[in-house]
């Protein structure tokens, strides 16, 4: 039986979001209906609302979520009713070249649920943000988008691993492969950069240098484990990072802003044999100009990080376990718990840079 639930809809470009009644169909084969327990408010939701991702309005927003599987369609093997799961953007095929070479984040054949959620009054089909749509009491996803984790974990904390926090931690531990004793610099300390700081700490980095243009962001990065901070409005971050690393530059530099000047800083702030990890997403018109001789002479590597290059089935349960043991404090990323009706206001606070994450708790 299809069900009706409340959900946050972005009706059109730049229009305020509103809570409407949404029809959630029964799950088809390989699909699951999840009773959402918590869902974080992410910049990407705001980009959907602004029309910055695509024009497939109306959107059902929300994608950093955890909840309990309520029902599954025929022949579904991945999860069963009662499982506590974190949702991710898409189910991977497990068989294409990328999947079989252990890089499912580049899978060529991902999928989401094929049945559609609709607006109850008009029957209009909804586009779920990032294939999830979890600012709703229940949502329909492909079963492969669900990863089971320890049911004792707080849903508000668990959901964050579905997006930004995983992207940052994964940039450090997976893409950057930060090792014990490495020096690490993180440029841009919003939610993603702070998660990279936490990841570097987890990996045993000796020095973690946080760079931002705002002192309050630097203070937050310190609470996540940064050992040194640099305000790049008042001092040259490349010089400062070199000074703090014996003149060499950092073994791993993580860029979490997405601008040409910070890409360039990351390039020059690394040790000659170091690694630059690019997590910040630039816009299509941005360009970076570098002397080719520098590109040649400064060895090392330049890597971009997709979703923290994570394997959900490996990384979600591991990070939840570390959190439960008190070895990785993910609760610091939850600035406030809000209700479904408060998402529009949460966007305003996010744009003002006042919160790491507002999390809708059901
Ligand atoms: N130098 C250093 N820090 C900067 C600069 C700069 N020139 N410009 C902005 N910042 C800082 C901001 O002060 C803020 O603390 O970068 C941080 C960006 O944080 P958020 O806006 O909160 O963004 P976040 O969610 O962390 O995402 C960062 O990663 O995944 C990508 O799409 C995401 O491109 C975005 C980036
Ligand atoms: Zn694949
Ligand atoms: Zn997100």
């Amino acid at each position: 039986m299809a069900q009706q639930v409340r959900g946050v809809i972005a009706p059109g470009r730049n229009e305020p979001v509103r809570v409407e009644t949404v029809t959630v169909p029964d799950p088809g084969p390989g699909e699951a209906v999840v009773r959402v327990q918590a869902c974080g408010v992410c910049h990407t939701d705001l980009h959907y609302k602004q029309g910055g991702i695509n024009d497939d309005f109306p959107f059902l927003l929300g994608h950093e979520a955890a909840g309990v599987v309520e029902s599954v369609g025929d022949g579904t093997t991945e999860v069963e009713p009662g499982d506590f799961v974190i949702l991710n953007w898409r189910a991977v095929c497990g068989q294409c070249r990328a999947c079989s070479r252990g890089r499912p984040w580049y899978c060529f054949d991902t999928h989401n649920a094929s049945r559609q959620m609709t607006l109850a009054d008009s029957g209009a089909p909804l586009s779920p943000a990032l294939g999830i749509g979890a600012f709703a009491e229940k949502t329909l996803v492909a079963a492969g988008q669900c990863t089971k984790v320890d049911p004792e974990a707080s849903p508000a904390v668990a959901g964050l691993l579905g997006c930004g926090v995983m992207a940052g931690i994964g940039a450090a531990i997976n893409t950057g492969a930060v090792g014990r004793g490495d020096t690490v610099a993180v440029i841009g300390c919003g939610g993603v950069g702070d998660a990279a700081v936490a990841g570097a700490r987890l990996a045993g980095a000796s020095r973690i240098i946080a760079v931002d243009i705002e002192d309050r962001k630097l203070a937050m990065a310190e609470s996540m484990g940064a050992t040194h901070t640099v305000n790049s409005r008042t001092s040259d971050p490349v010089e400062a990072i070199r000074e703090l690393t014996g003149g060499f530059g950092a073994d791993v530099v993580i860029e979490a802003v997405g601008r040409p000047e910070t890409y360039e800083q990351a390039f020059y702030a690394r040790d000659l044999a170091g690694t630059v990890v690019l997590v910040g997403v630039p816009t299509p018109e941005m360009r970076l100009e570098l002397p080719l001789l520098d590109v040649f002479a400064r060895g090392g590597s330049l890597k971009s990080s997709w979703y923290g290059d994570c394997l959900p089935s490996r990384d979600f349960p591991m990070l939840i376990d570390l959190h439960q043991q008190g070895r990785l404090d993910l609760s610091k990323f939850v600035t406030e718990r809000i209700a479904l009706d408060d998402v529009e206001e949460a966007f305003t606070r996010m744009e003002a840079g006042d919160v790491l994450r507002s999390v809708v708790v059901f």
Side-chain angles (χ1 to χ4, degrees):
M1 273 286 285
Q3 309 182 55
Q4 304 216 314
V5 301
R6 298 173 77 233
V8 175
I9 306 299
R13 186 178 281 260
N14 277 323
E15 288 175 38
V17 301
R18 51 178 190 247
V19 176
E20 301 230 14
T21 305
V22 170
T23 303
V24 181
D26 282 345
E31 297 178 349
V33 167
V34 174
R35 182 167 55 77
V36 181
Q37 292 177 305
C39 182
V41 182
C42 173
H43 278 92
T44 305
D45 294 303
L46 181 62
H47 292 159
Y48 272 109
K49 168 190 138 152
Q50 294 168 335
I53 310 256
N54 61 53
D55 265 325
D56 299 338
F57 291 99
F59 292 107
L60 174 58
L61 298 181
H63 61 274
E64 296 188 352
V68 174
V69 174
E70 183 188 75
S71 58
V72 297
D74 291 341
T76 302
T77 52
E78 292 92 337
V79 285
E80 53 189 52
D83 286 346
F84 177 60
V85 295
I86 297 176
L87 302 181
N88 72 67
W89 307 341
R90 57 230 167 143
V92 299
C93 77
Q95 292 177 6
C96 69
R97 185 168 193 277
C99 282
S100 43
R101 294 176 78 84
R103 298 190 289 262
W105 51 90
Y106 288 128
C107 174
F108 306 136
D109 193 16
T110 60
H111 65 283
N112 301 115
S114 53
R115 295 191 178 183
Q116 275 186 318
M117 292 181 278
T118 52
L119 276 177
D121 59 0
S122 64
L126 292 166
S127 307
L130 287 170
I132 295 180
F135 287 148
E137 292 154 331
K138 294 178 186 180
T139 190
L140 173 74
V141 292
Q145 290 178 257
C146 301
T147 304
K148 274 167 69 166
V149 296
D150 182 353
E152 298 293 314
S154 140
V157 164
L160 298 188
L161 288 178
C163 183
V165 171
M166 185 68 243
I169 295 180
I173 67 174
N174 293 333
T175 320
V178 171
R180 192 169 56 243
D182 281 352
T183 54
V184 176
V186 177
I187 303 179
C189 298
V192 174
D194 279 344
V197 167
R201 176 193 207 169
L202 191 64
S206 61
R207 290 194 166 203
I208 305 171
I209 304 161
V211 180
D212 204 288
I213 49 176
E214 285 191 43
D215 286 332
R216 62 183 176 146
K217 300 288 183 163
L218 293 171
M220 180 61 82
E222 268 185 314
S223 81
M224 299 286 177
T227 58
H228 301 76
T229 60
V230 175
N231 186 322
S232 55
R233 253 197 228 292
T234 50
S235 46
D236 177 350
V238 176
E239 288 295 312
I241 292 167
R242 288 213 184 126
E243 239 165 65
L244 289 164
T245 52
F248 298 111
D251 293 309
V252 180
V253 182
I254 298 167
E255 199 282 358
V257 183
R259 298 195 49 79
E261 61 272 25
T262 43
Y263 267 53
E264 183 168 339
Q265 289 161 6
F267 180 81
Y268 285 108
R270 80 180 197 274
D271 179 84
L272 284 181
T275 302
V276 175
V277 178
L278 305 169
V279 200
V281 183
T283 58
E285 63 285 355
M286 287 178 179
R287 295 287 180 274
L288 180 60
E289 202 177 304
L290 290 172
L292 275 190
L293 193 57
D294 286 355
V295 177
F296 170 75
R298 305 180 59 83
S301 55
L302 204 57
K303 294 167 141 186
S304 62
S305 184
W306 275 99
Y307 203 168
D309 292 353
C310 75
L311 292 171
S313 57
R314 175 195 63 193
D315 295 340
F316 293 176
M318 171 190 72
L319 294 172
I320 288 294
D321 186 33
L322 290 170
H323 170 73
Q324 293 295 88
Q325 291 181 50
R327 294 166 65 189
L328 168 69
D329 186 2
L330 295 172
S331 51
K332 286 207 188 88
F333 290 92
V334 181
T335 315
E336 57 175 5
R337 289 170 158 78
I338 62 171
L340 205 52
D341 302 275
D342 304 332
V343 170
E344 184 65 35
E345 285 149 45
F347 282 141
T348 310
R349 286 193 290 280
M350 185 170 73
E351 282 186 290
D354 291 340
V355 291
L356 271 184
R357 275 294 184 270
S358 307
V359 180
V360 173
V361 177
F362 294 85

